[in-house]
Amino acid sequence: LILGRRSAQRFDAKFTMALAAFHQLLDALLPRAAPPWEAWPFTPRLHPLLFVHRVEGLTPGLYALPRSGEAESDLRHALRAEFDWQRVARAPDRLPLFQLLPTDSRGVIRTASCHQAIAGDSCFAVAMLAEFAPLIRETPWRYRQLHWEAGLIGQVLYLEAEAAGLRGTGIGCFFDESVHEMLGVAGTDHQTLYHFTVGRPLADDRITTLPAYPGRTRNESGALP
């Protein structure tokens, strides 16, 4: 999976992702004593806000995945008061997935992601909302740490998408203030730091694809030396 991982350039705008694969992907984002989270000894500070477009059996709309026990109440206070915060009944008990607003979000997240089609054509897009200003005021170096955490979340999304036969891509260009307005975030206590999106990729024949790590061969077990 690591050797074959690629970023998608385009997505099939009609493909619907399986619900079990969606749950598996989100479950992998939760802290646990397993790679890569066992190498991350810090309290989770980034929480995915999910713009779901096409997932089997799931109403399109905005969802939240608080990654710590304290984050749910914090996000309820930080986001729009009119959000539903309805626990998703079909999600596994271990998965704290909440529906905030049933809506077609393809257009708004595409616009907020610098008008990139990948945000709206995918099965779902993610805005990673960080616990920001209080943490940074107390320990300024953690500004960098928040981006490391965003990178870890992104890499897990990449690999889980590949494992599901799909593909992901990071979105580094987005209008953060537009996203904050959409979510009802005021001030700087919370900030969106990174976006991501997952779906079924479409090949772009204009792009040359070469084997990863040329010159490296596998041994009899299939592993790279």
Side-chain angles (χ1 to χ4, degrees), residues 12-223:
D12 182 347
K14 297 182 179 180
F15 177 77
T16 298
M17 181 179 183
L19 183 62
F22 181 71
H23 288 161
Q24 172 61 35
L25 188 148
L26 296 187
D27 182 69
L29 302 180
L30 301 179
R32 67 193 68 205
W37 303 116
E38 63 182 357
W40 188 256
F42 307 103
T43 300
R45 300 291 186 180
L46 267 73
H47 310 286
L49 280 299
L50 303 139
F51 298 83
V52 173
H53 309 319
R54 289 178 312 284
V55 174
E56 178 186 33
L58 203 59
T59 302
L62 177 64
Y63 292 76
L65 182 73
R67 296 179 58 245
S68 70
E70 300 77 17
E72 180 188 338
S73 60
D74 181 50
L75 291 175
R76 282 178 181 263
H77 179 74
L79 303 183
R80 289 190 180 278
E82 59 266 33
F83 283 161
D84 295 336
W85 285 96
Q86 180 179 347
R87 188 74 180 248
V88 177
R90 298 186 64 183
D93 292 340
R94 66 181 181 277
L95 197 62
L97 181 63
F98 297 87
Q99 184 188 68
L100 305 187
L101 181 69
T103 185
D104 182 350
S105 60
R106 290 174 296 177
V108 293
I109 193 58
R110 173 176 177 160
T111 299
S113 299
C114 295
H115 304 279
Q116 297 180 78
I118 52 175
D121 291 346
S122 58
C123 294
F124 70 93
V126 181
M128 302 182 195
L129 193 68
E131 303 169 21
F132 194 77
L135 182 70
I136 302 305
R137 281 196 298 266
E138 182 179 343
T139 48
W141 69 270
R142 293 202 170 194
Y143 174 80
R144 182 176 294 181
Q145 184 190 67
L146 290 174
H147 286 276
W148 294 340
E149 186 175 350
L152 270 176
I153 292 172
Q155 291 300 336
V156 171
L157 287 168
Y158 267 125
L159 295 182
E160 289 295 332
E162 294 281 343
L166 304 174
R167 188 146 285 179
T169 189
I171 300 178
C173 179
F174 52 89
F175 303 126
D176 54 350
E177 291 305 322
S178 295
V179 176
H180 296 156
E181 182 179 357
M182 191 188 314
L183 299 175
V185 172
T188 59
D189 283 1
H190 297 82
Q191 294 284 287
T192 181
L193 292 190
Y194 195 50
H195 286 199
F196 202 93
T197 191
V198 172
R200 183 163 73 176
L202 295 176
D204 190 335
D205 295 334
R206 299 169 299 175
I207 297 175
T208 299
T209 300
L210 301 174
Y213 309 100
R216 299 188 71 182
T217 57
R218 299 178 183 273
N219 58 31
E220 290 182 358
S221 68

